[in-house]
Amino acid sequence: MRRQIAIIGAGPAGMFLAHLLHAEGIEATVIERRDRPYVEGRVRAGVLEQGTVGLLRRLGLAGRLEREGLVHGGTNVSIDGRVFRIDMAALTGGATVTVYGQQEVMRDLFDAAELRGLDIRWNASDVALTGLDGDRPVVTWREGDAARRLTCDFVVGCDGYHGVSRAAIPASVLRTFERVYPFGWLGVLADVPPADHELVYANHERGFALASMRSPTRSRYYIQCGLNEDIGDWSDDRFWDELCLRLGSETAAKVTRGKSFEKSIAPLRSFVVEPMRWGRLFLAGDAAHIVPPTGAKGMNLAVSDVTMLGEALSEHYREGSDAGIDGYSARALARVWKAERFSWWFTSVTHRFPTMDGFDRRIQIAELDYLRGSPAAQRSLAENYVGLPLEAA
Ligand code: FAD
Ligand code: DHB
């Protein structure tokens, strides 16, 4: 097979890029290790920045999002049960975020991909990349018993943190920056109405908690937990009790308890590799960087990466200019590092660290109290939360 672009991975990065390239008339094949139900079934992100919503609209994929997405102009922060609201829309000249689950985004991307005839190869095993430092990269893989081979101009690694693309770059070229946090998030989904119409990020002496949602009838809650905790030790009752303690009485009074239908623990990590390009391979999304989930930046960053890469590839094919592809890594990393900083900061001020002493705790409370009282501090949070602009290279 011959294509202009090979995309490895059909997560948000891979599928947004596939649609962007299709809209520009650039031929691409997406090569995905799993099947569609698996990719669509993964419970992950829930909050879309305005830029992500804007891209869905531009691609003609926002029909269901406009009907079912929940637009939030504000968010809440709780310090040991005292809640205050940050009016993001007022502080940013009208910007908002939209609650619409990653699973819904993936369903819309896949449905439209079928209608538009995008080429996705599911259940691709043994994906291997060669010739990335030459003129004609080759991707090989297996589909059942059949061996496949695709020659292309460029390969885009959208295969997440555990993918093969990053590993195809020589170690001598890559610089890795990493911070692993000494805790995880225990997340629960339940078909009960959310505690509030907006999110509540709670800092409590016993640890972080987050009240989120997927719809007016489906709640998504998280609590900070130890890394080695056994999910089997967390009955629904124990989860609801701990959540309510951490949210504090004002928010807890509005929590509807119910049977959970999803419960899982995710570790927290900050991770970036530089550069995001090597020869004819580009990295995008989780393949190049991970943020801790506080602030909901992960999927949105994958989308801003491929928005920039889509522009760069379009310039290459339409205008014969390589300025965009040559500038991609630096341009993407400038935004990635700002999101890394925000996610690290928001995690730092809301979580209980095992090494924290009384001084650290009081500094944390002072920082959040400052946020409560300072429009300047609130504006800084708000503009990061709704998503920083995609600046020029
Ligand atoms: P992925 O979504 O990881 O997609 C990569 C794709 O590549 C997958 O479909 C995978 O099957 C495929 N693949 C992997 N290896 C290969 C291979 N060798 N060959 C072919 N295909 C391959 N973000 C938030 O903003 N909010 C959240 O609440 C949140 N919760 C999360 C919870 C969990 C448990 C995890 C893991 C992530 C969470 N994230 C969250 C992060 C967010 O989901 C990711 O940032 C986002 O999915 C990144 O998209 P991606 O396309 O770059 O990578
Ligand atoms: C959700 C996840 C987040 O990390 C966050 O900051 C807000 C919401 C969610 O899954 O709903």
Side-chain angles (χ1 to χ4, degrees):
M1 279 197 294
R2 168 91 186 98
R3 290 283 184 280
Q4 288 167 309
I5 310 288
I7 299 173
I8 315 300
M15 288 309 301
F16 271 101
L17 182 62
H19 278 282
L20 278 164
L21 296 178
H22 178 78
E24 293 290 322
I26 300 169
E27 306 165 339
T29 287
V30 183
I31 301 150
E32 164 60 50
R33 190 170 53 139
R34 313 301 293 246
D35 59 12
R36 175 174 167 174
Y38 179 88
V39 178
E40 213 176 296
R42 287 185 294 210
V43 180
R44 287 180 160 190
V47 179
L48 308 187
E49 291 176 356
Q50 52 177 3
T52 302
V53 171
L55 180 59
L56 282 163
R57 283 200 188 111
R58 275 209 316 279
L59 291 169
L61 295 171
R64 205 158 62 88
L65 170 96
E66 308 280 8
R67 291 192 301 279
E68 298 176 17
L70 307 172
V71 177
H72 286 187
T75 196
N76 301 286
V77 175
S78 160
I79 322 171
D80 284 333
R82 283 179 299 134
V83 188
F84 63 95
R85 178 170 188 269
I86 298 175
D87 189 339
M88 297 182 304
L91 290 157
T92 58
T96 57
V97 295
T98 302
V99 170
Y100 192 68
Q102 182 166 334
Q103 291 171 284
E104 310 307 323
V105 175
M106 294 316 300
R107 194 178 128 195
D108 296 343
L109 289 163
F110 290 142
D111 282 351
E114 258 177 44
L115 287 172
R116 295 173 186 181
L118 272 55
D119 184 20
I120 309 175
R121 305 303 173 108
W122 302 104
N123 297 308
S125 54
D126 301 333
V127 174
L129 317 178
T130 51
L132 297 166
D133 52 350
D135 293 339
R136 278 281 166 270
V138 174
V139 182
T140 55
W141 71 97
R142 301 191 67 79
E143 277 172 40
D145 288 336
R148 306 279 187 215
R149 178 187 161 88
L150 186 153
T151 312
C152 56
D153 301 334
F154 299 103
V155 179
V156 187
C158 298
D159 47 351
Y161 182 65
H162 299 286
V164 291
S165 302
R166 191 175 67 246
I169 303 178
S172 58
V173 173
L174 274 191
R175 293 192 68 191
T176 301
F177 303 87
E178 189 169 27
R179 183 128 315 167
V180 177
Y181 300 85
F183 41 71
W185 276 19
L186 170 59
V188 153
L189 267 176
D191 276 329
V192 291
D196 194 280
H197 69 284
E198 291 171 344
L199 274 61
V200 183
Y201 288 88
N203 175 319
H204 188 271
E205 181 76 47
R206 293 172 66 88
F208 171 79
L210 170 60
S212 182
M213 68 206 67
R214 289 292 176 272
S215 75
T217 56
R218 180 167 290 182
S219 298
R220 178 73 164 152
Y221 289 109
Y222 299 96
I223 56 173
Q224 175 187 348
C225 67
L227 276 176
N228 297 320
E229 296 219 25
D230 184 347
I231 198 97
D233 292 338
W234 283 93
S235 66
D236 283 355
D237 281 341
R238 182 178 172 209
F239 181 86
W240 293 119
D241 287 346
E242 188 63 32
L243 175 77
C244 286
L245 253 176
R246 295 187 192 184
L247 291 174
S249 53
E250 185 186 333
T251 308
K254 299 183 287 177
V255 169
T256 307
R257 297 181 180 216
K259 190 172 157 37
S260 72
F261 63 89
E262 205 270 344
K263 204 184 270 165
S264 55
I265 294 178
L268 270 67
R269 179 190 301 272
S270 299
F271 172 87
V272 183
V273 292
E274 294 178 356
M276 287 170 62
R277 176 198 182 178
W278 182 65
R280 289 181 172 264
L281 170 68
F282 299 95
L283 299 179
D286 280 16
H289 43 73
I290 299 286
V291 287
T294 332
K297 292 287 155 230
M299 179 172 57
N300 292 298
L301 264 191
V303 173
S304 59
D305 284 355
V306 297
T307 303
M308 295 179 201
L309 189 55
E311 284 171 17
L313 290 169
S314 167
E315 264 176 55
H316 171 83
Y317 286 108
R318 278 174 181 261
E319 297 159 29
S321 162
D322 281 353
I325 56 178
D326 289 343
Y328 165 71
S329 177
R331 186 182 176 206
L333 281 166
R335 192 172 188 281
V336 164
W337 273 113
K338 290 185 193 101
E340 290 283 343
R341 184 209 68 82
F342 176 68
S343 307
W344 161 83
W345 170 80
F346 206 17
T347 303
S348 309
V349 297
T350 49
H351 288 66
R352 169 138 205 114
F353 287 72
T355 51
M356 265 172 77
D357 60 13
F359 181 86
D360 295 318
R361 174 79 185 133
R362 274 163 182 72
I363 290 288
Q364 232 185 24
I365 292 171
E367 177 132 18
L368 291 176
D369 208 29
Y370 169 60
L371 180 66
R372 185 170 62 86
S374 162
Q378 291 191 6
R379 180 169 295 120
S380 165
L381 183 143
E383 67 183 9
N384 280 280
Y385 196 88
V386 300
L388 294 173
L390 270 69
E391 281 160 17

